[in-house]
Amino acid sequence: MLEITSVILWMWAFLNLPVDEAIIFSLTSTILVGIGLVDYFTFQIPLLFILVGAGVAFLSVLIGLTYLSFALWGVFVGAIIPLGIMGFTWFITKRQGMGYGDIQLGILLGAWLGPVRMAMTLFSASLLSLIAWIAVSLMKEFDKDRAIPLAPFLAVAGIGIYIGSVYYPGFFYLLIIE
C-alpha cells in the first residue's frame, strides 16, 4: 500500500511541480503515508518518521523553498493550538482526545504546509475522522469511547490540501490575512 501510494504521489509531483519542490513533496508525502499506515494499525506514530520528516522540512527552509517564519507559524497552528485544545478537553472531560504523536505530526505538517494550509488540514482531518467514526458506529454498535487514529486523516488531509493549493492557488491566496 505504501509503495503504490508513494509511486502515484511521486509521479504526480515530478509531473506537476518544479524539481526541488517535487523532491520535498515526494519525501514528505511518503513519510506521511507511512505514518498514517503505522498509526492506523498500531495507534503509534514512530518518532523516527517524525524526525526524518522534520529534517525534510528543515531542508525545505535551507534551500529557500519555505520561509522560516512561514514554517514557524505553521508549527504554531499545527501543534500549539491542538495542544491547547487537547489540554482544554482534558480539563473538561478528564480524557485525552488525541495523543502526543498527533501533536508531533502537527509540527511536521505545520512546518511543511504553513499556517493557512495547516488550519485547513486540521479542519479537514477532524471532519474526515468524525465521518469515519459515525460510519463505524453505524456499522458496529455505538460506543462513545471508540478510539480512531487521527494520523491517517491528517496525512490524507495534508497531502490533499497541498495538491489542492497547486491547482487552486488563488483560493489559498485569498485566505491569507495581510
Side-chain angles (χ1 to χ4, degrees):
M1 182 75 162
L2 174 64
E3 291 85 0
I4 292 170
T5 307
S6 295
V7 165
I8 292 168
L9 290 170
W10 281 64
M11 285 176 36
W12 176 85
F14 282 97
L15 290 173
N16 293 292
L17 300 172
V19 174
D20 56 349
E21 192 174 347
I23 292 169
I24 297 296
F25 173 84
S26 299
L27 293 172
T28 304
S29 63
T30 300
I31 291 165
L32 290 174
V33 171
I35 289 171
L37 287 172
V38 170
D39 191 43
Y40 177 76
F41 290 110
T42 66
F43 283 85
Q44 300 282 324
I45 296 178
L47 182 60
L48 180 62
F49 286 12
I50 297 293
L51 294 175
V52 171
V56 173
F58 184 69
L59 177 65
S60 179
V61 171
L62 281 180
I63 65 174
L65 196 58
T66 304
Y67 293 113
L68 180 60
S69 62
F70 184 76
L72 292 176
W73 277 111
V75 168
F76 177 79
V77 171
I80 305 302
I81 291 174
L83 190 60
I85 293 169
M86 185 175 137
F88 180 74
T89 303
W90 182 85
F91 181 74
I92 299 296
T93 65
K94 301 297 185 230
R95 296 172 60 192
Q96 188 174 344
M98 76 175 81
Y100 292 106
D102 297 319
I103 302 299
Q104 294 169 348
L105 182 55
I107 292 170
L108 168 61
L109 279 168
W112 179 51
L113 295 171
V116 173
R117 292 186 291 188
M118 185 62 216
M120 293 179 69
T121 297
L122 284 172
F123 176 76
S124 301
S126 299
L127 186 61
L128 288 171
S129 65
L130 176 63
I131 291 168
W133 184 85
I134 290 170
V136 169
S137 293
L138 290 174
M139 287 188 228
K140 298 180 179 183
E141 65 182 50
F142 175 78
D143 180 8
K144 68 178 179 64
D145 295 325
R146 176 176 317 202
I148 58 172
L150 184 60
F153 300 104
L154 284 169
V156 166
I159 293 168
I161 294 293
Y162 189 93
I163 291 172
S165 71
V166 170
Y167 289 113
Y168 303 105
F171 174 73
F172 289 86
Y173 179 75
L174 291 174
L175 295 174
I176 298 173
I177 302 171
E178 295 187 39

